[in-house]
Amino acid sequence: MPHSLPLDQPPRSLCVLRLSAIGDVCHTLAVVRCLQDAWPDTRITWIIGKLEAGLVADIPGIEFIVYDKASGREGLLKIRQALHQRQFDVLLQMQASLRASRVARQIKADIKLGFDLARAQDFQWLFTTHRIARRDRQHVLDGLFGFAEAMGVSRGDLRWDIPLPDEARSFAAQQIPAGTQAMIISPMASAGARGARNWPPEHFAAVARHAQEQYGLKIILTGGPSDREKACGAAIEAALDTPVTNLIGRTNLKQLLALIARSRLLLGPDSGPGHMATAVNTPVISLFAGTNPDRAAPYLSRPWAVNKYPQALLADCGKTVNQVKWGRRVRNASAMQLITVSDVTSMLDRLMTETIAKPG
């Protein structure tokens, strides 16, 4: 195998390293699907996080090796043992973090391709042999496609094709029977966001009421099992005088994906379910104030992003989007208060007018 890029022939073996998070794993999958289409005979191994494996690890034609990030040195030892007699032609280090780089050290590959210096956080460049080309101010998904481009593979049509087991489909059909249109509200961002991406429960309730009254949409609440998420769901229910289906803490990732696939749309902040919706072509109204939607909005639903990031940035540091580093976050929880209920109901009205419902 030549130790130079772009490749002059398909690699025999390719290792993808992307551990987390759900949204970034969905972005990575689009790139992996592109590589599968270009190189159908290449053996692909993906090292992935334990939670994220629950969404994609049953995809045919890809070997998944699960790394539990809570396992520390023991988990690294397991990776080393699983791969100690293996040599890959190419390793794609598609996550720039110290944890991912520690995992990368356990992997033998002729080419270890990482981010350009501007994006190689946590000294990732020390652990790679090659880097993708620098591109400024890209969406995360476009940035990850830089790995395919560096190897000489052009982007084709986007596809994800995440398998949905019959159990998950049946679960979704029970919650959203044929002929029913539903709006999923996934109200809370990840715990790591520390509240800076979350919108008040009473605002979600007001939008839910509008969706019910104007469009007859069934409202389904989804989220993880944390006390914080359950409390948010209970607050949304308490603010409504009409019933909603509260599934917070009651779905696995496959069930959630099946629900999203069957829904008219999803509403939520900057979080993983919005990118899951992209993978099944369900429109997303996403709420952005703390992060830039030009970088991180659900890729196929960028026209439906409610964007108050410029205003939040100006209030936080007195600068415009073009004056700050790409990816700069506003971590003030009050930033999300810039988004009004009418901002979101107006976007809902637009989406319902301009998009076509999926067949039930």
Side-chain angles (χ1 to χ4, degrees), residues 168-187:
R169 292 183 186 276
S170 296
F171 174 83
Q174 290 171 2
Q175 303 298 331
I176 309 173
T180 300
Q181 290 194 68
M183 178 173 78
I184 289 184
I185 298 178
S186 179

Side-chain angles (χ1 to χ4, degrees), residues 175 180-185 201-221 233 235-246 264-265 267 285 341 344-345 348-349 352:
Q175 303 298 331
T180 300
Q181 290 194 68
M183 178 173 78
I184 289 184
I185 298 178
E202 60 271 20
H203 288 9
F204 280 113
V207 177
R209 187 178 300 110
H210 180 82
Q212 290 173 323
E213 293 175 353
Q214 297 300 315
Y215 304 106
L217 295 176
K218 178 177 180 176
I219 305 301
I220 299 176
L221 307 180
I236 294 172
E237 285 190 279
L240 286 167
D241 52 11
T242 52
V244 299
T245 300
N246 188 345
R264 182 71 170 85
L265 75 152
L267 167 65
I285 296 177
V341 170
V344 183
T345 55
L348 174 61
D349 294 339
M352 294 298 292

Side-chain angles (χ1 to χ4, degrees), residues 34 141-143 145 148-149 153-158 299:
C34 173
L141 178 58
D142 294 325
F145 264 103
E149 293 161 5
V153 175
S154 299
R155 184 191 311 198
D157 294 335
L158 292 175
Y299 196 78

Side-chain angles (χ1 to χ4, degrees), residues 73-109:
R73 292 176 61 87
E74 180 181 351
L76 290 175
L77 180 60
K78 288 182 179 179
I79 294 292
R80 181 184 299 177
Q81 291 172 339
L83 299 175
H84 78 285
Q85 291 185 329
R86 298 177 62 176
Q87 177 85 20
F88 295 95
D89 293 331
V90 180
L91 167 65
L92 303 184
Q93 293 187 223
M94 300 176 77
Q95 183 163 346
S97 69
L98 285 176
R99 177 182 287 118
S101 292
R102 291 189 188 103
V103 175
R105 290 188 63 188
Q106 318 307 315
I107 303 166
K108 299 174 185 177

Side-chain angles (χ1 to χ4, degrees), residues 339-354:
I339 300 174
T340 67
V341 170
S342 62
D343 289 330
V344 183
T345 55
S346 295
M347 189 65 79
L348 174 61
D349 294 339
R350 268 192 55 204
L351 187 149
M352 294 298 292
T353 301
E354 298 177 17

